[in-house]
Amino acid sequence: MVAVEHHDDQFVLAVRSLLKVGSMSTKEIVTAIDTDMNFSYQMTRNRLEELVDSGILAKQYRGREAIYSLQR
């Protein structure tokens, strides 16, 4: 369980770092996370949704594309 929590912490730090410069689409985040952490699209998408649910990220839509940003 500790390893999973550590991985989750790394994910949150990576996403916060990415979104400091502004909002990004799911695809853009997935590409960056896959390169850094070798997460699949589904794993990244699920964790992004968890961060939205916990209030860390905000989610908007541009057409059908989800766009994430840091919650202000």
Side-chain angles (χ1 to χ4, degrees):
M1 186 66 169
V2 173
V4 172
E5 288 176 8
H6 178 69
H7 215 80
D8 286 344
D9 290 344
Q10 284 181 305
F11 181 81
V12 172
L13 290 173
V15 169
R16 282 185 183 208
S17 178
L18 289 170
L19 296 178
K20 279 184 181 178
V21 296
S23 59
M24 294 175 77
S25 69
T26 305
K27 185 177 180 179
E28 293 167 325
I29 295 170
V30 166
T31 299
I33 294 295
D34 182 42
T35 300
D36 291 344
M37 299 180 74
N38 199 28
F39 274 24
S40 71
Y41 178 89
Q42 190 64 41
M43 288 172 65
T44 299
R45 199 176 126 257
N46 289 346
R47 289 185 180 192
L48 289 171
E49 291 302 316
E50 289 172 9
L51 295 178
V52 170
D53 291 345
S54 68
I56 294 172
L57 298 181
K59 179 180 174 182
Q60 297 178 335
Y61 286 94
R62 185 180 338 146
R64 293 182 52 186
E65 184 176 40
I67 305 295
Y68 297 89
S69 59
L70 293 175
Q71 190 71 284
R72 307 270 175 217

